[in-house]
Amino acid sequence: MAEFVLDPQLDRDSIWVTDLPLCSVRLINDMNYPWLILVPKVANISEVIELSEQQQHTLWRESALVSEVLTQLFTPDKLNLAALGNMVPQLHLHHIVRFKDDVSWPKPIWGQFPAKPYVESALNKRITIIQAAINKGA
């Protein structure tokens, strides 16, 4: 059985926050939007349907937890979920907090504005509050 390896692009674009039973939770390094991805720690998959039925249930439970945490912490106008995979085929599920006054509203975020990397103090604070909220809810 192949070992799970995080796609290099996901590794470059995101920072590890915590691990759940199935997924690695990672923060996209873009201050424009509070934005997490869930990456199932399963080797060589690109589609949800490639997960076992139990893994699919676990993915949706973990997605619901992350969605609840983001909603509680940031009170979004909209929480967008997406599993695109056009640029990075490794299965990952985006959870993007959107506000009516964010830089891309109401358009999709991709290709609108360059990523605005976190400064270290803001990054550490964001990761700490998200970790605490996920650990409380897990």
Side-chain angles (χ1 to χ4, degrees), residues 6-59:
L6 183 65
D7 182 276
Q9 186 68 48
L10 294 179
D11 192 34
R12 281 191 298 275
D13 292 347
S14 65
I15 300 96
W16 178 86
V17 175
T18 193
D19 282 318
L20 294 170
L22 178 66
C23 295
S24 178
V25 180
R26 301 184 63 88
L27 176 70
I28 295 293
N29 191 12
D30 186 352
M31 287 183 66
N32 288 316
Y33 324 91
W35 179 359
L36 297 177
I37 59 171
L38 290 180
V39 184
K41 297 172 287 187
V42 178
N44 303 321
I45 60 166
S46 58
E47 304 295 341
V48 171
I49 59 173
E50 294 174 285
L51 296 169
S52 71
E53 187 174 339
Q54 181 57 47
Q55 289 170 326
Q56 290 177 39
H57 289 290
T58 302
L59 175 62

Side-chain angles (χ1 to χ4, degrees), residues 20 42 46-48 57 62 67 70 74 80 110-111 127 132:
L20 294 170
V42 178
S46 58
E47 304 295 341
V48 171
H57 289 290
E62 291 178 1
S67 296
L70 289 173
F74 301 104
N80 290 343
W110 287 278
I127 288 173

